[in-house]
Amino acid sequence: MDSDFLQAFQKELTCVICLNYLVDPVTIGCGHSFCRPCLCLSWEGAQSPANCPACREPSHQKDFKPNIFLKNLVTIARKASLWQFLSSEKQVCATHREIKKMFCGTDKSLLCSLCSDSQEHGAHKHCPIEVAAEEHREKLLKQMRILWEKIQENQRNLSEEKKTSILWSAYALLRVQMIRVEYRELHPVLHKEEKQHLERLYKEHQEIFPQLQRSCINMYQKKKHLKEMYQELMEMCHKPDVELLQGLGDIVARSESVLLHMPQPVNPAFTAGPITGLVHRLNRFRVEISFNYEVSNHNISLFEDVRSWMFRPEQKGGSLDSDRPDYFAAWGAQGFSSGKHYWELDVDDSWDWAVGVCKDSQIRKNGTMITSEDIFLLLCVKMGHHFRLLTSSPMLPHYVEKPLGRLGVFLDFDIGSVSFLNVTKNSLVWRYPVGSLNFPVRPFFYTGHR
């Protein structure tokens, strides 16, 4: 083959990022092709849309499909390079004067076909060099895909843990202020209980905050080790066939060990501390609530809003299950515009629910609800193996024990506030600031897990 033609052919099969033969080639919208690992690393952390590394054209593509045609061409090019390497005098068997085209997997040596059948190597595992190289390269690529998923998972956890570390102290202060306000409305003899309650909050904050900091450090370290291993595997994939086979060593075993002991988020939560007389005081305003029920196969828009708040566009793997085909939604038959009203609902140990009130004008006959600031809801969603409590208006995460059993809702139009209670623990989950509520509302309940 003409050398100029061969060079031109090889150039077309070369990744402009790593300047090696394409490995697991993918083609993006502008038509340029790259190694999947190179493009993943190049676009990691890039703002959307990312730019093509070759022509700088913006690309919204994130789900890369392999270019099988290019992959087959690269295989042919590698085979040509291999036979060019084997044609040298050094790769001719001194005993049989044959090209060493077989690879012995036992002692990592190159053999001619006669040597591979000899008594010395006959019991060993051996096959043609190009076949062994492609087989091992595919194993490395499979391991890299697993590693990349873990790199992304760890990055999501790290981002969430950093955010939690920042919010934890602010939430502790917010909770202290809320508990103090609640105790002021109770009998002054509870001053001692209030002091103990606040001391417990402070102690829990002081215990959990260092755990969050250590968790972030562990995730940073794991990110570094995962990335180093990924790059080492990538470099190995780019090596010529013979170098790859003879340099593998224990790289796969080491990559598997790096995947062990992935650090998990702390998932902090304050204990649901009881407040003496809390539920008893509100029972004076107890009302019986009846609901108009609607079941729909359309998503409730408020859960789309929760998804957009909790997960960034590039983050995948979130388990917010808002698009299940069947859900149960209920609106109160009676609306409220003045006075004080308290009712309870049973949430058991379910997840994916929302309890609270919404503005009358935001209710539609088709069973959906417009997401806006005109809703006051306590939501429970599942993230991985953990539950997360949130309130709307504005969307705020709550680091407090998840209610089990009965949940109380208290409307106080005198001060314009809505409160949520963990009835089982006789504790306050959240109380909206004074003046938050200034329009007629109707009770609302949603669950996607019955």
Side-chain angles (χ1 to χ4, degrees):
M1 185 181 289
D2 180 81
S3 60
D4 291 339
F5 176 80
L6 180 61
Q7 286 180 2
F9 178 64
Q10 290 173 335
K11 183 179 179 182
E12 291 302 313
L13 301 177
T14 298
C15 172
V16 299
I17 299 176
C18 65
L19 303 180
N20 291 301
Y21 276 138
L22 290 161
V23 166
D24 197 9
V26 293
T27 303
I28 60 177
C30 61
H32 289 109
S33 301
F34 310 92
C35 303
R36 181 193 298 268
C38 292
L39 194 59
C40 286
L41 287 173
S42 175
W43 280 4
E44 186 186 23
Q47 302 217 350
S48 186
N51 295 322
C52 169
C55 67
R56 310 309 299 170
E57 182 178 319
S59 174
H60 294 273
Q61 189 175 356
K62 290 292 183 181
D63 184 22
F64 307 126
K65 293 184 179 180
N67 189 321
I68 303 299
F69 177 70
L70 270 181
K71 184 177 180 179
N72 291 337
L73 287 180
V74 170
T75 300
I76 295 171
R78 286 187 184 279
K79 189 178 292 187
S81 297
L82 172 64
W83 282 101
Q84 188 177 20
F85 169 78
L86 295 177
S87 63
S88 67
E89 184 63 28
K90 288 183 179 180
Q91 303 308 321
V92 175
C93 175
T95 304
H96 303 106
R97 302 305 299 169
E98 278 193 10
I99 294 176
K100 299 176 183 178
K101 57 184 179 180
M102 304 297 290
F103 177 72
C104 177
T106 303
D107 56 17
K108 313 299 180 190
S109 61
L110 304 185
L111 308 169
C112 73
S113 58
L114 295 174
C115 285
S116 66
D117 291 331
S118 67
Q119 186 175 359
E120 181 182 356
H121 295 281
H124 296 172
K125 182 181 178 181
H126 43 258
C127 65
I129 294 172
E130 64 269 23
V131 174
E134 283 304 306
E135 180 182 317
H136 285 288
R137 192 172 277 113
E138 285 300 319
K139 285 181 180 179
L140 293 176
L141 288 171
K142 181 181 178 181
Q143 194 66 13
M144 287 175 69
R145 284 190 282 270
I146 295 172
L147 262 173
W148 187 252
E149 289 176 3
K150 290 298 181 181
I151 288 171
Q152 300 308 300
E153 176 189 321
N154 184 74
Q155 183 58 50
R156 286 192 297 270
N157 289 339
L158 176 56
S159 299
E160 182 67 21
E161 205 76 330
K162 286 163 66 177
K163 184 170 70 173
T164 301
S165 297
I166 295 170
L167 293 175
W168 176 250
S169 295
Y171 183 75
L173 182 60
L174 197 64
R175 192 154 188 84
V176 165
Q177 294 170 345
M178 183 181 67
I179 295 299
R180 280 177 173 161
V181 170
E182 198 65 33
Y183 271 105
R184 285 195 201 109
E185 298 184 5
L186 297 169
H187 200 278
V189 297
L190 295 176
H191 176 72
K192 183 177 180 181
E193 180 185 303
E194 177 185 359
K195 182 181 178 183
Q196 291 173 342
H197 195 132
L198 295 178
E199 285 176 349
R200 184 174 63 251
L201 279 176
Y202 178 77
K203 182 180 179 182
E204 289 179 356
H205 170 264
Q206 292 299 99
E207 288 175 350
I208 291 176
F209 188 69
Q211 294 177 30
L212 289 167
Q213 291 181 311
R214 285 195 299 272
S215 179
C216 286
I217 292 172
N218 291 338
M219 288 177 184
Y220 268 119
Q221 291 175 338
K222 179 58 75 170
K223 175 182 178 180
K224 179 174 177 287
H225 295 152
L226 289 170
K227 191 73 72 68
E228 287 174 349
M229 192 72 247
Y230 187 83
Q231 290 173 330
E232 186 178 346
L233 288 171
M234 184 171 68
E235 289 172 8
M236 184 61 68
C237 280
H238 282 128
K239 288 183 181 295
D241 289 354
V242 174
E243 286 186 43
L244 182 149
L245 292 171
Q246 294 183 327
L248 278 172
D250 61 347
I251 191 170
V252 174
R254 287 190 292 109
S255 68
E256 289 173 348
S257 67
V258 172
L259 291 170
L260 299 175
H261 311 299
M262 291 290 295
Q264 297 301 312
V266 172
N267 193 41
F270 285 109
T271 303
I275 298 177
T276 301
L278 177 61
V279 175
H280 176 74
R281 177 173 65 89
L282 299 182
N283 268 326
R284 293 180 296 161
F285 312 106
R286 187 75 171 256
V287 292
E288 293 302 319
I289 301 294
S290 60
F291 288 98
N292 294 322
Y293 304 99
E294 299 241 6
V295 176
S296 170
N297 289 328
H298 300 289
N299 294 334
I300 292 182
S301 58
L302 72 94
F303 275 90
E304 289 302 315
D305 209 40
V306 174
R307 174 185 274 109
S308 66
W309 185 87
M310 294 175 71
F311 305 118
R312 298 293 179 263
E314 70 276 3
Q315 293 179 348
K316 298 180 181 179
S319 58
L320 180 58
D321 200 4
S322 68
D323 55 357
R324 58 171 57 244
D326 183 36
Y327 65 77
F328 167 85
W331 287 264
Q334 178 185 3
F336 301 103
S337 59
S338 62
K340 298 180 180 182
H341 312 277
Y342 173 73
W343 65 91
E344 294 178 2
L345 292 170
D346 200 339
V347 295
D348 297 319
D349 59 350
S350 61
W351 50 269
D352 194 9
W353 51 256
V355 173
V357 296
C358 61
K359 194 173 184 178
D360 264 349
S361 62
Q362 297 302 319
I363 301 171
R364 290 183 172 181
K365 292 180 180 179
N366 63 1
T368 61
M369 184 171 61
I370 298 173
T371 302
S372 70
E373 295 181 356
D374 296 335
I375 54 176
F376 297 92
L377 300 176
L378 176 66
L379 307 98
C380 178
V381 295
K382 191 176 182 183
M383 292 183 65
H385 301 292
H386 302 292
F387 300 97
R388 171 62 59 83
L389 291 178
L390 304 152
T391 51
S392 60
S393 306
M395 200 64 72
L396 178 71
H398 290 271
Y399 305 103
V400 66
E401 187 179 336
K402 173 181 175 285
L404 297 175
R406 299 191 71 75
L407 184 73
V409 181
F410 178 54
L411 290 183
D412 188 346
F413 279 96
D414 292 350
I415 62 172
S417 179
V418 182
S419 301
F420 299 107
L421 284 72
N422 183 336
V423 177
T424 306
K425 295 294 182 72
N426 198 34
S427 67
L428 185 64
V429 178
W430 175 242
R431 174 175 175 163
Y432 279 94
V434 173
S436 299
L437 179 64
N438 57 10
F439 46 78
V441 294
R442 191 174 293 268
F444 174 78
F445 176 65
Y446 161 92
T447 181
H449 184 68
R450 291 185 285 163

